[in-house]
Amino acid sequence: MAQTSRRYAISDIPLVKRVLKSRWPQWLAVALMLGFFVLAILAGLFGTPAGNRNFGIVFVWIVWWALLMLLLVPVAGRLWCGVCPIPAPGEWLQRRTLIAPGKGGKLHTLGLKWPKRWRNIWLQNLGFLGVALFSTVILTTPLVTALVLLGFVLIALVTSVLFERRTFCRYLCPVGGFIGLYSQVAPLELRVRDPEVCVGHRDKTCYTGSDDGYGCPWLVFPGKLTSNTYCGLCTECLKTCTLDNVALYVRQPGKDLVTPQRRGVDEAFKGLIMLACAFVYSAVLLGPWGALKDAARAPFTLPWLAYAAVFLALNLIVVPGLFVLAVRAGAWLARRGGRTMAASDHKHAFVEYAAALVPLGLAAWIAFSLSFVLINFSYAWPTLSDPFGWGWNLFGATGLGWTPYLPGLTAYLQIPVMLVGLAAAVGVVLKTAHRHGCGTLAATPVVAFCSAATVGLLALFLA
Amino acid sequence: MKHNLFALIVLLLLLVGLPAAIFAYRTARDTADGLRVIEIQAQAPEAGGFIPDRLELTAGETVKLRVVSPDVVHSFFIPELGVNIDEVYPGKPVEVTITPQEPGRYAFACTRWCSVDHWRMRGVIEVLPADAATQSTQSAETSKKPLFEQLGIDLDAMRHAPTALPAATPSAARGAALARRGTEPGAPASPARPPFEDVQARKRVSPADAFLELRAAPENAGLSDDQVWDLVAWAWLQDVSPETLAQAQTLYSRDCAACHGETGQGDGVAGENLPGLAKMDPAMRRGPADFTDAGQMLSAPDALLHGKILRGGMGTGMPEFGSLYTDAELWAMVSYLRTFLFTK
């Protein structure tokens, strides 16, 4: 096994390499997910409207969400994107083949380029806010869930006909946006072994494609990849690299956050939006406030409009505003301490410090997910036995009642998760401050922001 | 090429085979025992109640009823067929097989407190005789138009308040005494009574019109207005037995009092915030009808009240009692409503 400092190329294990080089394992995984996806959509369209008895609701919003937030994202980053069925139909259409790569990795699209001004994750941020705004309806109404999933497939399909590669995944998918953000924490990365080899490689087949596969569907040049954010773990580069210079590594968790990166305001906002949404979701879905739940559940009514206004203000003004204040207070403290921040540009500092929200936000979403996943996971068994609520009993589990798992333990899991998230966030803040020549004092306001968010979220979880 | 073909087969199995298998299994399961399956959605009355709330079966026919709740826990109760499913959980269908032997109307209801309008969650199974000839007679009978339709009465039309209203509560007993007299020497002449003794004729006119007609009759010139109203009360209640009124009172307490109030004043707790109240004509009384409102009630012929009870609705979510009551029960209820203004 090849080993460089603090990372291990697991793709050098012969079995792993064979699995990654072959197209079948991944294709079958996508096909399997597509089967679940079809079942979820059919259940949403034709099954019972009772969410807790409908495969679509239970398997998408409880089982899949639990797998995604508690396992896949923290451990394997964007692994879900590698097997996601949503872009698959569009991708097959682009490639005009289901599995065997076309000659030279040629794609068939109208060849349009995605507008330059939208080559960021702002649309993903807005898409996520849109979905989050209606989440109480989407999460509980099988028909709406089915329509949303169908909508995603349709948009991905149209996008792949018009634009190159996986434009939908890269610039539009509301889920992919936060998976990418939090995948920076994961102890798994797909990287080139030696960037110098890529510089000297004239054909750059990892980006242009070859008879062995397609150019990076995520529009990334793997030779310059330094973060998991935009690597969809599709492993095409591993298949197309003629120099065997690409590998899948196990690495130090959160490495992307402490190494200098080119980050954008869009990414910083993604972190802030996810943190604000964790607050709103916890208050609406876990909190005891009936009026708030009623307002969130009744789209386009007057109470909902008020809820929407508060929701958007929190996400786009209040939380980002408080964070900006914390960053500016840090700069002020640095100046008072006689030190000038190297990143004197406030916008730059805002973006740099926002990296701390990645571990904190991920911890918040893990803790939030624990609270409802453990309580509701037992719905999975009867739903598997009777996916449509039609009175079937395929596996003899239809009669199983609702049983919360480890309800007394949830808080004891949430507290350490949040504390680990806070510790990691503080670590990122301090490293960022020191990297820019500022002392610990300058990091205090942002640390205070992260601490306040932790206390606030724990209060919501435990109250 | 081989790879793509195999992948295509897998894909077709998933995209076509899986849905086809699901629906084929459902059909096979439903038809396994050869019984007709009728699915009844049991949902909160605000969302529609039982759908359908009216089934038509043939006597001796065995059917499987599948009761499905999409929202909260309901129950399914057909007292006359001995069916009592205590709990119909959301998303957990419950099946029951029934074979009603006797023709007739079998009411079914939810007996769980499923919403504030729970009491409206009713339905009826119409069981027709198996014999075709009888069935067609029965069908002709059941399809007979109700009286309000035969008379062309618009149930929702605004009606003018009567020009004369009783000053005291009219008494059928006093009216009966007036109707009997006339034979004593020196006594006033027998008051005019027809056509209100004829039940069928009486159903077509309002008490207020009956009053005006009786008031105008020369034979009644010596009677006070109150006495004429007593005659009207007598005409309306003369042929209604105490048993009929008692039966109607039981039905009223069970089915009507929640909204219209035990004393008929339209002040039942379930009548507050009824669905559809906001849409009602502001000029009209908002809420359940007040049966003690002489202006409204005395201007309404029995045919109109019968039609309103039969059809329900009125924008308030009142059930269609025509599917729940026999015709005799509907007319008994009309008579009972008169007792809120007339004493027996």
Side-chain angles (χ1 to χ4, degrees):
Chain A
M1 187 187 301
Q3 178 181 347
T4 61
S5 62
R6 292 187 183 178
R7 64 177 191 172
Y8 298 91
I10 52 169
S11 56
D12 286 350
I13 300 169
L15 179 67
V16 177
K17 188 166 206 159
R18 243 189 20 228
V19 166
L20 293 175
K21 284 273 186 185
S22 166
R23 290 195 169 270
W24 275 109
Q26 193 183 4
W27 191 91
L28 286 173
V30 173
L32 185 69
M33 294 306 126
L34 189 64
F36 279 111
F37 202 72
V38 169
L39 202 56
I41 289 173
L42 288 175
L45 294 178
F46 303 107
T48 173
N52 63 341
R53 286 278 166 179
N54 187 296
F55 183 90
I57 292 290
V58 174
F59 270 78
V60 173
W61 301 122
I62 298 176
V63 176
W64 170 76
W65 183 262
L67 279 173
L68 185 74
M69 294 313 290
L70 303 181
L71 192 68
L72 291 179
V73 171
V75 174
R78 273 202 190 261
L79 185 64
W80 167 255
C81 297
V83 297
C84 177
I86 291 173
E91 194 162 61
W92 293 330
L93 202 65
Q94 269 189 351
R95 295 175 178 180
R96 296 201 185 157
T97 171
L98 286 173
I99 187 156
K103 198 165 169 54
K106 182 172 165 36
L107 295 176
H108 303 267
T109 71
L110 292 186
L112 299 180
K113 297 276 181 201
W114 188 248
K116 208 167 183 177
R117 66 184 304 200
W118 294 115
R119 286 182 200 166
N120 45 51
I121 61 168
W122 278 115
L123 288 177
Q124 289 178 313
N125 289 346
L126 295 177
F128 183 83
L129 280 177
V131 172
L133 203 48
F134 295 93
S135 60
T136 44
V137 177
I138 298 171
L139 267 53
T140 54
T141 317
L143 179 64
V144 180
T145 284
L147 294 177
V148 168
L149 296 181
L150 277 172
F152 280 4
V153 175
L154 196 69
I155 296 170
L157 198 68
V158 171
T159 315
S160 60
V161 170
L162 299 176
F163 300 98
E164 56 180 343
R165 313 193 193 197
R166 281 201 188 185
T167 295
F168 171 79
C169 302
R170 177 69 198 265
Y171 299 118
L172 292 173
C173 178
V175 179
F178 74 80
I179 295 181
L181 183 81
Y182 292 145
S183 68
Q184 295 177 87
V185 173
L188 198 71
E189 66 178 19
L190 194 80
R191 297 283 190 276
V192 294
R193 296 173 198 275
D194 180 1
E196 290 306 313
V197 174
C198 299
V199 173
H201 188 208
R202 201 189 60 184
D203 294 338
K204 300 204 173 19
T205 45
C206 60
Y207 192 78
T208 57
S210 70
D211 287 352
D212 294 324
Y214 301 89
C216 178
W218 288 74
L219 301 142
V220 170
F221 173 51
K224 292 207 167 172
L225 197 63
T226 53
S227 165
N228 281 352
T229 311
Y230 302 113
C231 168
L233 284 185
C234 64
T235 68
E236 278 299 330
C237 52
L238 217 135
K239 294 175 177 81
T240 51
C241 180
T242 51
L243 304 172
D244 194 25
N245 193 35
V246 181
L248 186 66
Y249 291 97
V250 171
R251 63 169 193 183
Q252 173 198 341
K255 194 182 115 189
D256 298 349
L257 301 169
V258 288
T259 46
Q261 307 276 347
R262 260 190 71 190
R263 300 180 199 280
V265 178
D266 53 336
E267 292 173 47
F269 257 85
K270 171 56 82 184
L272 288 160
I273 285 171
M274 292 306 293
L275 190 67
C277 279
F279 269 96
V280 178
Y281 272 53
S282 303
V284 173
L285 299 178
L286 307 179
W289 302 287
L292 184 61
K293 285 181 207 291
D294 289 344
R297 273 192 203 133
F300 306 114
T301 59
L302 214 57
W304 181 85
L305 290 173
Y307 161 77
V310 173
F311 174 85
L312 292 174
L314 258 179
N315 275 280
L316 299 173
I317 301 168
V318 178
V319 175
L322 288 173
F323 190 71
V324 167
L325 282 179
V327 172
R328 292 210 170 189
W332 181 76
L333 285 172
R335 278 198 300 275
R336 269 182 66 108
R339 292 178 174 180
T340 315
M341 282 177 67
S344 53
D345 175 10
H346 288 300
K347 183 174 145 188
H348 190 194
F350 169 75
V351 169
E352 290 274 294
Y353 278 116
L357 303 176
V358 174
L360 186 68
L362 179 60
W365 280 92
I366 290 174
F368 165 73
S369 303
L370 278 172
S371 60
F372 77 86
V373 166
L374 290 175
I375 299 297
N376 295 318
F377 200 86
S378 62
Y379 285 125
W381 316 126
T383 314
L384 213 52
S385 214
D386 182 15
F388 295 83
W390 285 345
W392 295 3
N393 197 1
L394 299 174
F395 309 109
T398 300
L400 291 181
W402 170 66
T403 314
Y405 296 140
L406 308 170
L409 200 65
T410 310
Y412 296 103
L413 295 172
Q414 287 172 321
I415 294 170
V417 164
M418 285 307 299
L419 292 179
V420 168
L422 177 63
V426 170
V428 173
V429 174
L430 292 176
K431 280 211 171 192
T432 306
H434 293 154
R435 196 165 58 237
H436 295 297
C438 301
T440 306
L441 189 65
T444 315
V446 180
V447 169
F449 176 92
C450 294
S451 306
T454 305
V455 171
L457 283 163
L458 278 174
L460 281 172
F461 295 149
L462 307 179
Chain B
M1 196 63 196
K2 246 194 234 172
H3 285 276
N4 271 334
L5 187 65
F6 182 71
L8 184 66
I9 291 167
V10 173
L11 212 57
L12 285 175
L13 282 174
L14 282 171
L15 298 180
V16 182
L18 182 65
I22 287 166
F23 288 104
Y25 178 69
R26 187 190 197 194
T27 308
R29 197 172 166 275
D30 283 354
T31 53
D33 46 16
L35 294 178
R36 179 155 75 106
V37 178
I38 301 173
E39 188 164 301
I40 300 173
Q41 289 277 333
Q43 50 198 54
E46 306 89 283
F50 286 115
I51 301 172
D53 62 356
R54 192 185 179 93
L55 308 176
E56 204 165 281
L57 305 180
T58 308
E61 181 187 7
T62 300
V63 293
K64 193 190 282 180
L65 303 180
R66 179 182 293 140
V67 190
V68 183
S69 162
D71 44 30
V72 295
V73 183
H74 296 280
S75 81
F76 186 68
F77 182 44
I78 319 176
E80 288 178 77
L81 294 177
V83 172
N84 188 8
I85 301 169
D86 257 352
E87 287 160 338
V88 182
Y89 280 99
K92 276 179 86 174
V94 181
E95 292 179 347
V96 62
T97 303
I98 58 165
T99 314
Q101 299 291 351
E102 297 297 323
R105 295 158 75 90
Y106 297 82
F108 57 87
C110 169
T111 58
R112 282 254 169 179
W113 184 253
C114 55
S115 83
V116 286
D117 287 332
H118 152 73
W119 57 276
R120 289 198 292 119
M121 198 163 164
R122 311 274 171 80
V124 72
I125 302 172
E126 186 93 39
V127 179
L128 303 173
D131 172 63
T134 331
Q135 190 174 328
S136 82
T137 315
Q138 178 79 14
S139 298
E141 184 68 26
T142 51
S143 65
K144 204 174 110 182
K145 281 186 175 177
L147 187 58
F148 81 91
E149 277 188 27
Q150 293 174 36
L151 299 176
I153 296 175
D154 178 358
L155 297 182
D156 304 308
M158 288 286 285
R159 294 186 308 284
H160 294 291
T163 48
L165 291 174
T169 305
S171 159
R174 287 198 301 267
L178 277 172
R180 275 197 302 271
R181 76 184 190 186
T183 49
E184 300 88 355
S190 173
R193 301 190 322 210
F196 311 116
E197 279 183 85
D198 174 5
V199 175
Q200 292 310 316
R202 196 195 67 211
K203 286 173 177 172
R204 299 158 191 255
V205 293
S206 69
D209 288 342
F211 169 83
L212 292 176
E213 198 168 324
L214 286 171
R215 179 71 285 173
E219 305 96 298
N220 296 334
L223 298 181
S224 68
D225 282 358
D226 285 348
Q227 284 177 310
V228 176
W229 275 115
D230 287 341
L231 274 176
V232 172
W234 168 74
W236 252 259
L237 295 177
Q238 55 164 322
D239 55 350
V240 185
S241 70
E243 292 76 27
T244 303
L245 284 181
Q247 184 202 10
Q249 186 177 19
T250 305
L251 292 177
Y252 180 89
S253 297
R254 190 188 74 186
D255 299 332
C256 317
C259 287
H260 293 280
E262 203 62 55
T263 55
Q265 289 176 301
D267 56 356
V269 285
E272 298 165 8
N273 305 318
L274 279 175
L277 278 190
K279 296 179 205 156
M280 287 175 79
D281 184 343
M284 292 175 70
R285 177 191 156 77
R286 294 168 73 85
D290 176 359
F291 301 133
T292 63
D293 179 347
Q296 284 291 316
M297 290 297 286
L298 297 179
S299 64
D302 281 6
L304 180 112
L305 295 181
H306 175 267
K308 287 203 167 201
I309 302 170
L310 183 145
R311 186 202 63 177
M314 263 73 75
T316 62
M318 177 171 152
E320 174 204 325
F321 283 100
S323 64
L324 300 175
Y325 289 174
T326 62
D327 207 42
E329 286 172 330
L330 288 170
W331 286 114
M333 185 59 79
V334 171
S335 298
Y336 180 71
L337 297 187
R338 295 299 184 196
T339 66
F340 286 115
L341 285 173
F342 300 157
T343 58
K344 182 80 175 145

